[in-house]
Amino acid sequence: MNKINFPEGFSPASRVWIYQSNRPFNEKEVLEINEQLDQFTAQWNAHGDPVKGWGGVVMNQVIILMADETRTMVSGCSTDSSVRVIKSLERQYEINLFDRLLLGFVVKDKVQLLPLQQVAYALEKGYIDENTLYLNNTVLNKADLDSKWLIPLKDSWLAAKVGVKA
């Protein structure tokens, strides 16, 4: 899996929001979604002050929003505006971006989703193993996005839950 290049010039403390789609996007959808995210982040404001933001589709199935709060803190209102954009994308593309019960894994360089209750079965059948990359969508800042987002299953919170030894 190639390292994902997130934008330069963002503080490691930048806040991130990760939205995993229940299906992959096609090329046309990726271009359209990235364009909509560019338009949103270009006018993202918190109490009238511009938020330094970035948004993009990664791995054809995950939308990431990032806000560098070194100059402008993201307020409740500006967070709400980002959620409205995400909900609008859900309607437009008939996808679900808020299903936290589907867990993402990188299998053969593609995102594969598994419901929590099927992870043990997937391990047992060899579909995934302790070294399969898990999408730890609970990361909250850019530093963790860079180092703790795509991690081997054995290093995740999920390992103990499904009986994988670290």
Side-chain angles (χ1 to χ4, degrees):
M1 181 90 219
N2 299 341
K3 179 159 173 32
I4 296 166
N5 293 321
F6 296 110
E8 296 294 316
F10 277 73
S11 159
S14 296
R15 285 178 60 189
V16 296
W17 295 267
I18 300 172
Y19 301 96
Q20 173 179 283
S21 173
N22 62 321
R23 68 162 176 85
F25 302 115
N26 63 41
E27 259 181 82
K28 181 176 181 277
E29 290 172 329
V30 169
L31 291 171
E32 291 171 359
I33 292 168
N34 281 336
E35 188 174 316
Q36 289 183 55
L37 293 171
D38 285 347
Q39 288 173 0
F40 168 73
T41 55
Q43 54 193 333
W44 200 1
N45 284 301
H47 301 293
D49 294 320
V51 171
K52 179 180 178 183
W54 174 85
V57 174
V58 297
M59 300 181 345
N60 289 335
Q61 197 159 346
V62 180
I63 294 173
I64 296 180
L65 274 178
M66 187 180 315
D68 189 331
E69 297 184 301
T70 48
R71 283 194 210 101
T72 306
M73 297 297 282
V74 174
S75 64
C77 295
S78 49
T79 301
D80 290 349
S81 67
S82 71
V83 171
R84 277 194 298 279
V85 167
I86 297 299
K87 287 192 174 290
S88 164
L89 292 172
E90 274 191 319
R91 288 187 300 276
Q92 191 177 346
Y93 295 99
E94 298 176 347
I95 54 174
N96 185 336
L97 294 167
F98 291 93
D99 188 345
R100 301 293 183 223
L101 298 178
L102 284 178
L103 304 176
F105 297 89
V106 179
V107 178
K108 296 181 181 148
D109 283 339
K110 287 193 171 85
V111 175
Q112 299 291 327
L113 303 179
L114 291 170
L116 177 58
Q117 65 271 26
Q118 289 181 10
V119 172
Y121 178 80
L123 278 162
E124 182 186 314
K125 295 297 180 194
Y127 184 68
I128 60 174
D129 63 32
E130 68 275 4
N131 293 309
T132 299
L133 290 181
Y134 167 67
L135 280 68
N136 178 23
N137 293 333
T138 62
V139 298
L140 299 173
N141 60 49
K142 185 178 184 308
D144 287 348
L145 182 67
D146 291 336
S147 63
K148 297 177 184 167
W149 178 47
L150 296 176
I151 57 174
L153 173 58
K154 67 182 179 201
D155 297 337
S156 74
W157 64 270
L158 190 53
K161 213 167 179 57
V162 295
V164 169
K165 305 279 186 269

